[in-house]
Amino acid sequence: MSAKIELHVHLEGAIRPATLLDIARRNGESLPADTVEGLEALYRFTDFRHFLSVWRMTTNCLRTADDFRRVVVGYAQEARAHGAVYLEAIFSPAERVESHALDWDEMFTGYTEGAVEARERFGLTVRFTPDLYRGCPVELAEECARVSVRYRDRGVVGLGIGGDERRSTLAPYGKAVRIAQEGGLAFVPHAGEVGGPEHVREALDLGAVRLRHGIRAAE
């Protein structure tokens, strides 16, 4: 089997249904389905809005460092079975802080400890590019950038931004991006996913070194 790398995986969206059910029950969070088959049916996305709805449902279940560790280790095992040797994985901490007041270090520690375990158990390297989201309060975005830089030596290599491009330009997040860049992190935003080519240009002008999606660049 040839060695593979994966540069775009949202960890919250990669949780196996059985794991999600277990985490939700332990944290007292209700889900629209209570079986593996029921959850699998929810992941048959109809449009981008549906995708975001299911993604929020999933992230709402995650609470503890052990939850985040399990997410990394579970996906790393699956990716290694497909021949992956390196993952550059996305998670969305600012959304968790805003909606559930979770602790930054609880999340970052769980994810980065999961990377250590993935390396020890599967020989797979996991690095992280935390995502902001369009519509995120500016101060929160800047705090996320600072925390991300603080975890650079534990596997954080970049800062991204996702969400519906029609909701906000990248302009409000210029300072957050500069904090990340000056701290040694790459800027790796989603752009051209649901918005037009102007969003691709905006991301490049802000210093993006990699575009996620970028499909409207053809225009």
Side-chain angles (χ1 to χ4, degrees):
M1 182 183 296
S2 60
K4 301 172 183 176
I5 64 173
E6 184 168 18
L7 299 179
H8 188 156
V9 55
H10 291 265
L11 289 170
E12 298 103 337
I15 305 172
R16 297 298 89 193
T19 302
L20 180 59
L21 283 171
D22 182 56
I23 289 174
R25 288 167 182 157
R26 188 178 64 185
N27 292 335
E29 189 72 32
S30 61
L31 293 170
D34 59 4
T35 65
V36 168
E37 294 76 17
L39 285 180
E40 288 175 342
L42 287 175
Y43 277 84
R44 298 190 183 106
F45 304 122
T46 58
D47 55 26
F48 189 64
R49 187 181 299 274
H50 179 205
F51 163 77
L52 289 178
S53 176
V54 174
W55 178 82
R56 291 190 187 98
M57 174 200 75
T58 301
T59 57
N60 281 341
C61 297
L62 303 174
R63 294 283 192 279
T64 69
D66 188 62
D67 294 340
F68 303 117
R69 179 197 61 79
R70 288 181 64 185
V71 171
V72 178
V73 174
Y75 185 71
Q77 182 177 20
E78 181 178 350
R80 189 68 188 94
H82 291 288
V85 296
Y86 177 87
L87 301 179
E88 213 158 275
I90 303 165
F91 65 96
S92 302
E95 196 275 339
R96 300 285 79 220
V97 171
E98 183 181 27
S99 63
H100 284 75
L102 293 193
D103 180 73
W104 293 106
D105 290 318
E106 185 87 8
M107 291 180 283
F108 277 78
T109 295
Y111 281 119
T112 55
E113 287 183 351
V116 172
E117 185 174 342
R119 182 70 178 179
E120 292 173 348
R121 293 179 58 185
F122 312 121
L124 184 146
T125 299
V126 182
R127 297 292 182 259
F128 300 100
T129 57
D131 245 8
L132 306 173
Y133 58 94
R134 289 172 172 84
C136 177
V138 171
E139 295 80 5
L140 187 65
E142 293 167 5
E143 185 178 5
C144 183
R146 283 188 286 269
V147 175
S148 297
V149 169
R150 184 153 53 85
Y151 277 81
R152 186 181 64 178
D153 293 338
R154 295 178 64 179
V156 174
V157 296
L159 182 74
I161 185 167
D164 193 334
E165 295 155 272
R166 296 164 296 188
R167 185 177 181 184
S168 171
T169 69
L170 293 179
Y173 306 109
K175 183 177 178 180
V177 171
R178 289 193 300 274
I179 290 170
Q181 291 168 327
E182 291 170 2
L185 304 183
F187 181 45
V188 288
H190 291 60
E193 181 179 12
V194 293
E198 68 276 10
H199 295 285
V200 173
R201 173 55 58 193
E202 178 186 43
L204 293 174
D205 288 344
L206 202 56
V209 300
R210 183 190 305 141
L211 294 177
R212 273 142 178 177
H213 299 287
I215 56 176
R216 300 294 293 277
E219 299 172 29

